């Protein structure tokens, strides 16, 4: 099957490749109940050496820069309590951690979580964190612009491979809260 975006040799519907995905991602896709059928969520194989954005878009298609999203883990602190959350914004933007995220989490201070915390808590690889398969109590903050795209490329949980899913599916992920202005230029 051909991927709907990018220059990938092959795209596989996720129900056909669950054994190739990391455990939390495979479990989330196995239990998927969204309005977008699971077979419209695709996995594309990519070279982990080309995972960084600039090299990635050069190899797989420059149009992907505007059709990809990044998923980052943030930590909000208030009164000695820490709340972890994931944020998804288009790769052409940056997540407004000190404004939108801090307010949404009701935190006094918000920052990007350390690599150790992000990978340890998600069970995913740094550089491949995805909103699919996050720990269930976590809020998932999604920039509204992500939902406007027919397909969006995002990490697969590891540096090798990406998931390609309709933008509207992000609003149906567990814990999703859609926010205007989460991603800023």
């Amino acid at each position: 099957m051909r991927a709907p975006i990018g220059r990938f040799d092959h795209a596989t519907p996720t129900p056909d490749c669950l054994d190739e995905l990391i455990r939390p991602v495979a479990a989330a896709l196995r239990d998927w109940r969204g309005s977008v059928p699971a077979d419209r969520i695709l996995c594309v194989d990519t070279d982990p050496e080309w995972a960084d954005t600039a090299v990635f878009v050069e190899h797989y298609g420059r149009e992907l820069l505007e059709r990809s999203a990044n998923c980052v883990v943030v930590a909000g602190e208030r009164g000695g309590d820490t709340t972890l959350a994931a944020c998804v914004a288009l790769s052409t933007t940056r997540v407004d951690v000190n404004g939108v995220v801090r307010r949404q989490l009701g935190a006094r201070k918000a920052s990007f979580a350390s690599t150790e915390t992000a990978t340890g808590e998600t069970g995913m690889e740094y550089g491949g964190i995805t909103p699919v398969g996050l720990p269930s109590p976590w809020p998932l903050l999604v920039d509204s612009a992500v939902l406007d795209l027919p397909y969006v490329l995002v990490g697969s949980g590891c540096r090798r491979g990406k998931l390609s899913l309709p933008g509207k599916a992000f609003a149906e992920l567990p814990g999703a809260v859609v926010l205007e202005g989460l991603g800023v230029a």
Side-chain angles (χ1 to χ4, degrees):
M1 164 182 274
R2 178 139 172 80
I5 57 174
R7 296 187 309 257
F8 301 101
D9 293 333
H10 189 69
T12 305
T14 55
D16 297 339
C17 65
L18 294 175
D19 291 342
E20 299 168 28
L21 298 168
I22 66 167
R23 187 170 314 171
V25 175
L29 291 167
R30 188 176 295 111
D31 297 337
W32 178 254
R33 300 288 178 260
S35 65
V36 172
D39 64 357
R40 289 201 45 221
I41 301 172
L42 307 173
C43 186
V44 294
D45 187 39
T46 61
D47 189 321
E49 295 297 316
W50 297 330
D52 294 322
T53 303
V55 176
F56 185 85
V57 298
E58 192 61 41
H59 186 76
Y60 294 110
R62 293 195 97 21
E63 75 279 4
L64 292 175
L65 186 60
E66 302 194 1
R67 296 180 182 172
S68 297
N70 292 321
C71 182
V72 296
V73 177
V74 296
E77 298 176 15
R78 183 182 238 359
D81 292 330
T82 300
T83 301
L84 294 176
C87 301
V88 177
L90 296 177
S91 60
T92 55
T93 66
R94 62 176 176 76
V95 172
D96 183 6
V97 176
N98 292 312
V100 175
V101 172
R102 183 182 56 75
R103 286 189 299 276
Q104 182 65 32
L105 297 180
R108 184 185 56 72
K109 176 186 173 193
S111 59
F112 292 104
S114 70
T115 301
E116 294 79 22
T117 298
T119 58
E121 294 291 328
T122 62
M124 299 177 196
E125 290 180 8
Y126 183 74
I129 293 177
T130 184
V132 178
L134 292 168
S136 62
W138 282 23
L140 170 61
L141 311 181
V142 181
D143 186 85
S144 60
V146 172
L147 277 60
D148 294 336
L149 295 176
Y151 268 88
V152 179
L153 205 63
V154 70
S156 66
C158 61
R159 286 181 64 86
R160 168 167 227 117
K162 300 279 186 190
L163 297 178
S164 179
L165 58 157
K168 68 181 182 178
F170 286 85
E172 298 179 349
L173 291 167
V177 177
V178 178
L179 300 168
E180 291 283 331
L182 177 63
V184 293

